[in-house]
Amino acid sequence: MNKKVVVIGGGYGGLRAVEFLSKDAGIDIVLIDKNPYHYLQTEAYGYIAGKFDMHDLVIDLKEWCDGFKERAQFIQDKVVSVDFDKELVKSATSLIDYDYLIIATGARTNFFSFIEGLKEHSYGVKNLHRAFNFRVEFENLIYKKLQNTKESQDINLVIGGAGLSGVEVAAEMAYVIEAYKKTIGDRVKSIKIYLIDASKTILPGMSEFIIKNTEKRLESLDVNILTETFIDRMDENYIYFKDSQKLKYHFMIFTGGIKASHLNDSIDVQKNSISQFIPNAELNIDNHKNVFAIGDCVEIKDAKGEILPPTAQSAERSAEYVAETIMSKINKKRVKPFDASMLGIFIALGGKYSVGELFGFIKVSGYTAYLLKKAIAKLYYLGLRLRINAGYMSRAELK
Ligand SMILES: Cc1cc2nc3c(=O)[nH]c(=O)nc-3n(C[C@H](O)[C@H](O)[C@H](O)COP(=O)(O)OP(=O)(O)OC[C@H]3O[C@@H](n4cnc5c(N)ncnc54)[C@H](O)[C@@H]3O)c2cc1C
């Protein structure tokens, strides 16, 4: 009899898990997501700056699952809890049973509650709705500057958090604003970008090569970098810092931290301070041998015991491992331990410029790095689209 694997979350981890599990004709897959689409949040920096459009950023999950013929079913629903004893996934309206479960519900922006006013007055980019709202506001701003030639008021656009996503957003916004010179002339100079972080440097935890080259690029794009700067509170006009300084701002995008998805809060197992599950070596949670967690909703450590940053790459690698583990268990084969090491990282830094490292020794910056970063993103997107258009083999063809 076929085994039923339920995957909660159609993000980078969830989709990779479905893809791998579909190799086994003896598995029925159910993918559940609260949204009807897969959101390519790694491309959000380009969307909010107006470089990419909505169709570059989302893939319809039902169409994508249909590509797997009868082997994968998509259900649009929000999961509210899981009963591990009864092996049931619960939404507000339904109960879905499973033989194996993969939780891949990702994370959300952590609008720290100790910073008064942060959530009310800033945008996030981890969900499409907030990214869309910001893009509309930004286009409105440019339109007003275009209409009013006497408009010279300074507009400060602030990005809180200089990790991977904050740096990408700051660089792309700065690059795009510079390009608006052709549209709104010198009035473009009144739009200023600030990148703020409490850490000593931007991109804390990354290599010196990445940090130095990124700083150089941001400076050339006139991004004002404020490190070791602690935000105390915000109101609708000002950001107040701990050292009693303040900055007038018009938009704040907050990328300073993440917190695991709301579903984690309803599951009573061991978690870290940002609500990520703490799994065992096989990525099981609470030692349930048929329940796995992957991607941003779980704390992933490398061989040295260092916690890895939440990336699409980790989500996909953990997905591949878990899918292989489930197939091994079903087919009574030996399960290998998870190797969580990162292969590399590429950071988009506005226009046709990136910086990146691969396997720890290949280090590139500028146009070559941009081409590599673009190729990775394009291959991912085209891969998903191809599955919609061409589809997978049916169960009978696979056997
Ligand atoms: C601007 C930006 C740039 C980035 N750049 C990079 C990069 O260059 N390289 C890189 O590797 N990473 C990058 N990242 C990080 C990367 O996007 C995340 O690490 C990745 O999305 C995590 O994948 P995931 O599958 O764990 O979760 P997600 O991709 O967030 O997917 C989670 C899914 O679960 C669904 N879900 C959540 N709760 C429920 C529920 N209760 N019921 C049903 N469905 C639910 C959501 O709708 C979503 O579809 C970037 C992130 C941002 C914001």
Side-chain angles (χ1 to χ4, degrees):
M1 206 171 102
N2 279 359
K3 293 288 181 194
K4 181 171 173 185
V5 183
V6 172
V7 180
I8 315 172
Y12 290 84
L15 294 201
R16 184 56 61 91
V18 171
E19 210 176 286
F20 266 56
L21 289 165
S22 73
K23 292 186 220 162
D24 191 325
I27 293 179
D28 294 330
I29 309 161
V30 176
L31 174 67
I32 311 173
D33 200 291
K34 60 183 177 184
N35 294 316
Y37 52 79
H38 168 61
Y39 168 40
L40 282 83
Q41 54 183 283
T42 55
E43 306 304 291
Y45 70 93
Y47 174 71
I48 62 170
K51 181 177 174 180
F52 305 137
D53 283 317
M54 184 82 82
H55 62 80
D56 298 314
L57 210 68
V58 290
I59 292 279
D60 184 83
L61 283 172
K62 183 179 178 311
E63 290 275 322
W64 186 78
C65 278
D66 285 352
F68 293 88
K69 310 280 174 357
E70 75 288 3
R71 282 177 297 126
Q73 181 201 355
F74 174 62
I75 297 175
Q76 188 194 340
D77 211 346
K78 182 173 177 175
V79 174
V80 292
S81 65
V82 180
D83 185 329
F84 296 128
D85 296 327
K86 295 191 178 131
E87 300 185 339
L88 285 174
V89 168
K90 297 181 181 178
S91 78
T93 53
S94 65
L95 289 175
I96 298 160
D97 63 305
Y98 64 84
D99 295 309
Y100 291 90
L101 177 66
I102 302 177
I103 304 177
T105 43
R108 56 202 147 114
T109 303
N110 194 353
F111 295 100
F112 301 120
S113 55
F114 56 82
I115 303 179
E116 191 190 313
L118 179 65
K119 189 164 186 182
E120 294 77 14
H121 301 299
S122 61
Y123 296 85
V125 287
K126 280 197 77 66
N127 75 53
L128 184 60
H129 185 230
R130 279 183 184 263
F132 172 77
N133 284 344
F134 174 79
R135 178 170 164 152
V136 171
E137 290 284 351
F138 180 65
E139 282 179 353
N140 267 332
L141 163 80
I142 297 292
Y143 185 70
K144 277 190 201 145
K145 290 251 171 206
L146 173 71
Q147 291 293 330
N148 186 355
T149 51
K150 294 197 176 60
E151 166 70 70
S152 62
Q153 189 203 7
D154 270 358
I155 301 287
N156 292 338
L157 213 155
V158 179
I159 292 110
L164 172 62
S165 49
V167 156
E168 288 195 328
V169 169
E172 200 59 54
M173 292 303 300
Y175 182 84
V176 164
I177 286 166
E178 174 62 27
Y180 270 115
K181 198 170 184 340
K182 293 191 204 99
T183 318
I184 56 175
D186 261 0
R187 296 185 304 289
V188 85
K189 288 192 187 133
S190 62
I191 309 176
K192 298 192 166 68
I193 308 262
Y194 287 83
L195 178 64
I196 299 179
D197 202 291
S199 303
K200 255 195 161 129
T201 66
I202 59 164
L203 298 169
M206 293 210 187
S207 75
E208 204 181 320
F209 171 80
I210 296 268
I211 293 175
K212 285 272 167 295
N213 280 282
T214 303
E215 264 171 4
K216 232 164 79 190
R217 172 66 174 170
L218 290 172
E219 277 157 15
S220 76
L221 291 167
D222 283 335
V223 173
N224 301 285
I225 304 172
L226 308 180
T227 47
E228 294 187 88
T229 302
F230 298 84
I231 299 173
D232 187 40
R233 65 188 169 92
M234 289 176 72
D235 60 26
E236 58 267 53
N237 296 313
Y238 286 96
I239 298 170
Y240 301 88
F241 301 111
K242 285 247 183 325
D243 63 1
S244 308
Q245 302 285 326
K246 61 180 183 179
L247 176 69
K248 190 163 173 59
Y249 79 101
H250 287 76
F251 301 114
M252 160 89 147
I253 300 174
F254 190 70
T255 62
I258 61 152
K259 193 168 190 185
S261 79
H262 287 289
L263 181 63
N264 287 38
D265 299 336
S266 73
I267 298 177
D268 189 18
V269 296
Q270 206 193 354
K271 281 172 260 180
N272 64 16
S273 62
I274 54 166
S275 289
Q276 288 172 315
F277 300 124
I278 300 181
N280 67 13
E282 283 177 22
L283 299 185
N284 298 124
I285 59 168
D286 212 24
N287 280 323
H288 293 285
K289 293 290 176 199
N290 61 343
V291 181
F292 302 83
I294 59 173
D296 283 5
C297 71
V298 64
E299 179 180 285
I300 298 179
K301 288 186 177 157
D302 66 11
K304 291 186 217 140
E306 304 272 344
I307 298 175
L308 291 178
T311 60
Q313 192 185 140
S314 286
E316 290 176 346
R317 295 201 70 195
S318 55
E320 290 165 11
Y321 167 76
V322 160
E324 299 281 7
T325 299
I326 292 174
M327 291 188 285
S328 299
K329 281 178 184 262
I330 291 172
N331 298 305
K332 309 234 175 324
K333 289 189 189 149
R334 209 167 60 87
V335 173
K336 293 184 212 135
F338 179 45
D339 171 12
S341 53
M342 294 265 288
L343 301 176
I345 190 88
F346 280 87
I347 306 180
L349 290 174
K352 295 184 174 160
Y353 194 104
S354 292
V355 54
E357 267 177 357
L358 212 52
F359 311 121
F361 63 92
I362 301 173
K363 297 176 195 291
V364 270
S365 63
Y367 188 61
T368 316
Y370 160 79
L371 287 178
L372 285 166
K373 164 99 181 161
K374 194 175 166 182
I376 295 167
K378 258 277 162 303
L379 279 174
Y380 181 77
Y381 178 77
L382 289 176
L384 295 179
R385 289 225 63 91
L386 194 71
R387 272 149 226 158
I388 291 176
N389 297 335
Y392 270 80
M393 284 186 281
S394 67
R395 201 186 303 278
E397 286 167 319
L398 201 68
K399 272 180 177 162

